[in-house]
Amino acid sequence: MSVLARYLPILVWGRAYSRRDLPGDVTAGLITAIMLVPQAMAYAMLAGLPPQIGLYASIAPPILYGIFGSSRALAVGPVAIASLMTATALTALSPPGSPSYIANALVLSFLIGLMLVVLGAARAGFMVNFLSHPVIAGFTSAAAILIVISQIKHLLGVSVPSGDTVETITGLFGHIGQTKLATLSIGVGTLLVLLLMREPLARLLGRWNLSPLTIQFITRSSPLLAVIAGIVVTGMWHLDSTAGVAIVGTIPEGLPSLTMPSTDLTLWQALLPSAALIAFVGYLESVSVAKALAGKRRQKVDADQELIGLGAANLAAAFTGASPVAGGFARSMVNFSAGANTPLASILTALLLAFSVMFLTPLFHYLPQAVLAATIVVAVVQLIEIDSFRRTWRYNKADFLAQTATFVIVLAIGIETGIITGIALSLLLYLWRSSRPHFAVVGQVGDTEHYRNVKRHAVRTDPEVLLFRIDENLYFPNAGYLEDSLRAEVAANPEIRDVVLICSSVSLIDASALETLQELRETLHAAGIVLHLAEVKGPVMDRLAQTSFIEHLAPGQIFLSTHDAVTHLRAKLYADPYGSAI
């Protein structure tokens, strides 16, 4: 693969494009576009931005991702959690909906895109591994609850000042007497339509022997049908003026014009921490979805290229008047299951959104905000993983505490503090676990060449030989723990004359651990004990060969396998008149 093709995946899938791929891409593009039109406006409202910003975020960004992204089915555009984080970041600087608020959103998109592209060029895709799944589940569940709470005011038709979770809930109860019945009816009706047109309608249509694609097309059209119904009802009876129903209002026609984000360094400095968090969360969500979908078709996703693809999409958003974007889970699943074979499906979706912006925006004038709020609620409620807490509690209490702490902090303090806490807890848990790795004293299983933990299996052991298996890489946080554990075993068994460190799970020995091994060798030697190694991996052996450790290990040896070590040491013990026979 050429360097150009590596950074432009479109050259790979474009050259291999087949006519057989086109029907699936066209169908997926159409179905995803139908779903995306109301979602894009809804997520813009969630971010505190005008509805057209969400539509703009669904045009250029997916096209750029289609050129630079490595996933064949990821649908990029405005997403719920990134929209909530955008609102959190921007509200601290300007009132929602104000010109400065919108301008700052462009800067946020630019900073996110810039960081992602730089990280992609640095091949930093590995960073996705530093946030554990329980912490992600705790974060997304809490964020989804915050999103639902933020939309209740639109479903009730009441005005509640922005604030933290407690203030918002208190404000809702304080204004509940001002609920507008027309708005509430539209919101509840939309919720029922969206919920009933999923599983119940799909089961009903399935009894009519309709094709899965037809069923999916009908059920996934529910957001658009709800939008049409809301517009018709509100427009016919002028509910905006007669019943106080809040509507979207005038949406500018035409494609977005090119925009230039502000170069105010003070503003950049203020938004940089939020941009970093949104970039991290958006990338994490996107690459997780992309890998899950790719695995179903035995395709490959390049985590580093995904950074570049998402970075390019956010830069496109910054220069076309749009808000930050990422890969959405629900939208990508729809795109995938509707038959998307290549990123052309997302490009076709973007073109259909461009058509909507050019010719259909006047039709959205009477769209009730309650319809958009209901769309958001139904979309994010599936992100609340209550069952995940139960599973985590049963499997690992430490992970459960990290998950619960992240969940509580997001709800009680804020989304940015919560994700920072989640990242910190994930790293602390990793360091704690790797600093206290699992070690095992092993013995021979019968007459086989297999060696297992003496605490779990009936095995043969030699009093003079300690077979000590290391189940973790050796580096500075756990080197001391290895030394303490090994010394404790030797102290408890005074007959030991040889110690064999089984390194089958060791892929790294850093300088600190190497120093510890050298000190152990000297300590054991002074006590009349010889240190050996077994099953050392090639890369580790290459590193050791560059030092004097192997030379100083003598009379200790490095054995190819544990069984080779046991065979050799048993023979030595039989030959040694001071050794005891087995």
Side-chain angles (χ1 to χ4, degrees), residues 60-62 64-65 68 76 113 308-318 323 325:
L64 267 291
Y65 178 82
F68 291 98
V76 170
I308 295 175
L310 291 170
N314 277 282
L315 288 176
S323 54
V325 297

PDB file of all heavy atoms in Angstrom, residues 60-62 64-65 68 76 113 308-318 323 325:
ATOM      1  N   ALA A  60     -20.658  18.538   5.231  1.00  0.00           N
ATOM      2  CA  ALA A  60     -19.224  18.440   4.926  1.00  0.00           C
ATOM      3  C   ALA A  60     -18.485  17.425   5.797  1.00  0.00           C
ATOM      4  O   ALA A  60     -17.648  16.669   5.291  1.00  0.00           O
ATOM      5  CB  ALA A  60     -18.572  19.821   5.034  1.00  0.00           C
ATOM      6  N   PRO A  61     -18.748  17.360   7.118  1.00  0.00           N
ATOM      7  CA  PRO A  61     -18.002  16.402   7.950  1.00  0.00           C
ATOM      8  C   PRO A  61     -18.108  14.946   7.497  1.00  0.00           C
ATOM      9  O   PRO A  61     -17.075  14.253   7.417  1.00  0.00           O
ATOM     10  CB  PRO A  61     -18.592  16.628   9.345  1.00  0.00           C
ATOM     11  CG  PRO A  61     -18.999  18.061   9.341  1.00  0.00           C
ATOM     12  CD  PRO A  61     -19.536  18.288   7.954  1.00  0.00           C
ATOM     13  N   PRO A  62     -19.301  14.415   7.182  1.00  0.00           N
ATOM     14  CA  PRO A  62     -19.344  13.016   6.713  1.00  0.00           C
ATOM     15  C   PRO A  62     -18.590  12.802   5.402  1.00  0.00           C
ATOM     16  O   PRO A  62     -18.021  11.719   5.182  1.00  0.00           O
ATOM     17  CB  PRO A  62     -20.847  12.748   6.535  1.00  0.00           C
ATOM     18  CG  PRO A  62     -21.530  13.751   7.384  1.00  0.00           C
ATOM     19  CD  PRO A  62     -20.664  14.965   7.336  1.00  0.00           C
ATOM     20  N   LEU A  64     -15.862  14.462   4.408  1.00  0.00           N
ATOM     21  CA  LEU A  64     -14.423  14.412   4.728  1.00  0.00           C
ATOM     22  C   LEU A  64     -14.065  13.113   5.427  1.00  0.00           C
ATOM     23  O   LEU A  64     -12.996  12.535   5.179  1.00  0.00           O
ATOM     24  CB  LEU A  64     -14.039  15.613   5.590  1.00  0.00           C
ATOM     25  CG  LEU A  64     -13.513  16.851   4.864  1.00  0.00           C
ATOM     26  CD1 LEU A  64     -12.139  16.564   4.258  1.00  0.00           C
ATOM     27  CD2 LEU A  64     -14.466  17.325   3.776  1.00  0.00           C
ATOM     28  N   TYR A  65     -14.957  12.645   6.311  1.00  0.00           N
ATOM     29  CA  TYR A  65     -14.673  11.366   6.964  1.00  0.00           C
ATOM     30  C   TYR A  65     -14.658  10.236   5.935  1.00  0.00           C
ATOM     31  O   TYR A  65     -13.841   9.316   6.022  1.00  0.00           O
ATOM     32  CB  TYR A  65     -15.690  11.055   8.063  1.00  0.00           C
ATOM     33  CG  TYR A  65     -15.400   9.709   8.685  1.00  0.00           C
ATOM     34  CD1 TYR A  65     -14.427   9.570   9.671  1.00  0.00           C
ATOM     35  CD2 TYR A  65     -16.050   8.556   8.239  1.00  0.00           C
ATOM     36  CE1 TYR A  65     -14.115   8.338  10.194  1.00  0.00           C
ATOM     37  CE2 TYR A  65     -15.741   7.307   8.759  1.00  0.00           C
ATOM     38  CZ  TYR A  65     -14.770   7.211   9.737  1.00  0.00           C
ATOM     39  OH  TYR A  65     -14.448   5.974  10.241  1.00  0.00           O
ATOM     40  N   PHE A  68     -11.155  10.279   4.487  1.00  0.00           N
ATOM     41  CA  PHE A  68     -10.003  10.005   5.357  1.00  0.00           C
ATOM     42  C   PHE A  68     -10.229   8.882   6.365  1.00  0.00           C
ATOM     43  O   PHE A  68      -9.269   8.367   6.926  1.00  0.00           O
ATOM     44  CB  PHE A  68      -9.614  11.282   6.117  1.00  0.00           C
ATOM     45  CG  PHE A  68      -9.042  12.358   5.246  1.00  0.00           C
ATOM     46  CD1 PHE A  68      -9.836  13.397   4.781  1.00  0.00           C
ATOM     47  CD2 PHE A  68      -7.711  12.336   4.880  1.00  0.00           C
ATOM     48  CE1 PHE A  68      -9.317  14.404   3.981  1.00  0.00           C
ATOM     49  CE2 PHE A  68      -7.175  13.341   4.077  1.00  0.00           C
ATOM     50  CZ  PHE A  68      -7.971  14.367   3.622  1.00  0.00           C
ATOM     51  N   VAL A  76     -20.882   9.585  10.641  1.00  0.00           N
ATOM     52  CA  VAL A  76     -20.348  10.728  11.405  1.00  0.00           C
ATOM     53  C   VAL A  76     -21.303  11.906  11.303  1.00  0.00           C
ATOM     54  O   VAL A  76     -21.864  12.190  10.244  1.00  0.00           O
ATOM     55  CB  VAL A  76     -18.948  11.104  10.879  1.00  0.00           C
ATOM     56  CG1 VAL A  76     -18.476  12.415  11.479  1.00  0.00           C
ATOM     57  CG2 VAL A  76     -17.954   9.993  11.197  1.00  0.00           C
ATOM     58  N   GLY A 113     -10.666  19.191  15.896  1.00  0.00           N
ATOM     59  CA  GLY A 113     -10.129  18.637  14.651  1.00  0.00           C
ATOM     60  C   GLY A 113      -8.623  18.703  14.602  1.00  0.00           C
ATOM     61  O   GLY A 113      -7.956  17.740  14.194  1.00  0.00           O
ATOM     62  N   ILE A 308      -7.314  10.718  12.262  1.00  0.00           N
ATOM     63  CA  ILE A 308      -7.209  11.651  11.133  1.00  0.00           C
ATOM     64  C   ILE A 308      -8.576  11.870  10.495  1.00  0.00           C
ATOM     65  O   ILE A 308      -8.952  13.003  10.158  1.00  0.00           O
ATOM     66  CB  ILE A 308      -6.192  11.121  10.109  1.00  0.00           C
ATOM     67  CG1 ILE A 308      -4.786  11.095  10.734  1.00  0.00           C
ATOM     68  CG2 ILE A 308      -6.188  11.978   8.845  1.00  0.00           C
ATOM     69  CD1 ILE A 308      -3.721  10.489   9.858  1.00  0.00           C
ATOM     70  N   GLY A 309      -9.344  10.782  10.317  1.00  0.00           N
ATOM     71  CA  GLY A 309     -10.664  10.896   9.701  1.00  0.00           C
ATOM     72  C   GLY A 309     -11.598  11.772  10.516  1.00  0.00           C
ATOM     73  O   GLY A 309     -12.266  12.672   9.978  1.00  0.00           O
ATOM     74  N   LEU A 310     -11.652  11.537  11.824  1.00  0.00           N
ATOM     75  CA  LEU A 310     -12.518  12.350  12.683  1.00  0.00           C
ATOM     76  C   LEU A 310     -11.984  13.770  12.803  1.00  0.00           C
ATOM     77  O   LEU A 310     -12.765  14.723  12.916  1.00  0.00           O
ATOM     78  CB  LEU A 310     -12.629  11.697  14.063  1.00  0.00           C
ATOM     79  CG  LEU A 310     -13.405  10.378  14.106  1.00  0.00           C
ATOM     80  CD1 LEU A 310     -13.232   9.708  15.460  1.00  0.00           C
ATOM     81  CD2 LEU A 310     -14.884  10.624  13.828  1.00  0.00           C
ATOM     82  N   GLY A 311     -10.657  13.912  12.790  1.00  0.00           N
ATOM     83  CA  GLY A 311     -10.078  15.251  12.823  1.00  0.00           C
ATOM     84  C   GLY A 311     -10.442  16.047  11.584  1.00  0.00           C
ATOM     85  O   GLY A 311     -10.819  17.222  11.673  1.00  0.00           O
ATOM     86  N   ALA A 312     -10.359  15.408  10.431  1.00  0.00           N
ATOM     87  CA  ALA A 312     -10.736  16.080   9.181  1.00  0.00           C
ATOM     88  C   ALA A 312     -12.213  16.465   9.194  1.00  0.00           C
ATOM     89  O   ALA A 312     -12.599  17.545   8.725  1.00  0.00           O
ATOM     90  CB  ALA A 312     -10.428  15.168   7.990  1.00  0.00           C
ATOM     91  N   ALA A 313     -13.056  15.590   9.746  1.00  0.00           N
ATOM     92  CA  ALA A 313     -14.488  15.878   9.817  1.00  0.00           C
ATOM     93  C   ALA A 313     -14.753  17.093  10.696  1.00  0.00           C
ATOM     94  O   ALA A 313     -15.573  17.954  10.356  1.00  0.00           O
ATOM     95  CB  ALA A 313     -15.232  14.652  10.358  1.00  0.00           C
ATOM     96  N   ASN A 314     -14.063  17.203  11.829  1.00  0.00           N
ATOM     97  CA  ASN A 314     -14.272  18.353  12.711  1.00  0.00           C
ATOM     98  C   ASN A 314     -13.687  19.637  12.129  1.00  0.00           C
ATOM     99  O   ASN A 314     -14.244  20.720  12.338  1.00  0.00           O
ATOM    100  CB  ASN A 314     -13.669  18.059  14.085  1.00  0.00           C
ATOM    101  CG  ASN A 314     -14.600  17.263  14.970  1.00  0.00           C
ATOM    102  OD1 ASN A 314     -15.537  17.789  15.549  1.00  0.00           O
ATOM    103  ND2 ASN A 314     -14.360  15.962  15.043  1.00  0.00           N
ATOM    104  N   LEU A 315     -12.580  19.520  11.407  1.00  0.00           N
ATOM    105  CA  LEU A 315     -12.053  20.708  10.721  1.00  0.00           C
ATOM    106  C   LEU A 315     -13.037  21.174   9.651  1.00  0.00           C
ATOM    107  O   LEU A 315     -13.247  22.384   9.469  1.00  0.00           O
ATOM    108  CB  LEU A 315     -10.693  20.385  10.096  1.00  0.00           C
ATOM    109  CG  LEU A 315      -9.532  20.209  11.078  1.00  0.00           C
ATOM    110  CD1 LEU A 315      -8.265  19.790  10.338  1.00  0.00           C
ATOM    111  CD2 LEU A 315      -9.277  21.500  11.860  1.00  0.00           C
ATOM    112  N   ALA A 316     -13.651  20.218   8.957  1.00  0.00           N
ATOM    113  CA  ALA A 316     -14.674  20.582   7.973  1.00  0.00           C
ATOM    114  C   ALA A 316     -15.839  21.282   8.653  1.00  0.00           C
ATOM    115  O   ALA A 316     -16.402  22.255   8.120  1.00  0.00           O
ATOM    116  CB  ALA A 316     -15.154  19.332   7.243  1.00  0.00           C
ATOM    117  N   ALA A 317     -16.205  20.814   9.838  1.00  0.00           N
ATOM    118  CA  ALA A 317     -17.283  21.465  10.588  1.00  0.00           C
ATOM    119  C   ALA A 317     -16.906  22.903  10.945  1.00  0.00           C
ATOM    120  O   ALA A 317     -17.724  23.823  10.834  1.00  0.00           O
ATOM    121  CB  ALA A 317     -17.588  20.664  11.853  1.00  0.00           C
ATOM    122  N   ALA A 318     -15.667  23.098  11.351  1.00  0.00           N
ATOM    123  CA  ALA A 318     -15.217  24.428  11.757  1.00  0.00           C
ATOM    124  C   ALA A 318     -15.278  25.431  10.611  1.00  0.00           C
ATOM    125  O   ALA A 318     -15.589  26.609  10.825  1.00  0.00           O
ATOM    126  CB  ALA A 318     -13.796  24.352  12.303  1.00  0.00           C
ATOM    127  N   SER A 323     -21.043  22.489  14.313  1.00  0.00           N
ATOM    128  CA  SER A 323     -20.617  22.118  15.654  1.00  0.00           C
ATOM    129  C   SER A 323     -19.772  20.838  15.606  1.00  0.00           C
ATOM    130  O   SER A 323     -19.694  20.172  14.561  1.00  0.00           O
ATOM    131  CB  SER A 323     -21.847  21.892  16.535  1.00  0.00           C
ATOM    132  OG  SER A 323     -22.717  20.944  15.922  1.00  0.00           O
ATOM    133  N   VAL A 325     -18.405  17.040  15.755  1.00  0.00           N
ATOM    134  CA  VAL A 325     -19.045  15.812  15.283  1.00  0.00           C
ATOM    135  C   VAL A 325     -18.259  14.590  15.777  1.00  0.00           C
ATOM    136  O   VAL A 325     -17.109  14.687  16.185  1.00  0.00           O
ATOM    137  CB  VAL A 325     -19.135  15.780  13.744  1.00  0.00           C
ATOM    138  CG1 VAL A 325     -20.003  16.899  13.228  1.00  0.00           C
ATOM    139  CG2 VAL A 325     -17.735  15.836  13.113  1.00  0.00           C
TER     140      VAL A 325
END
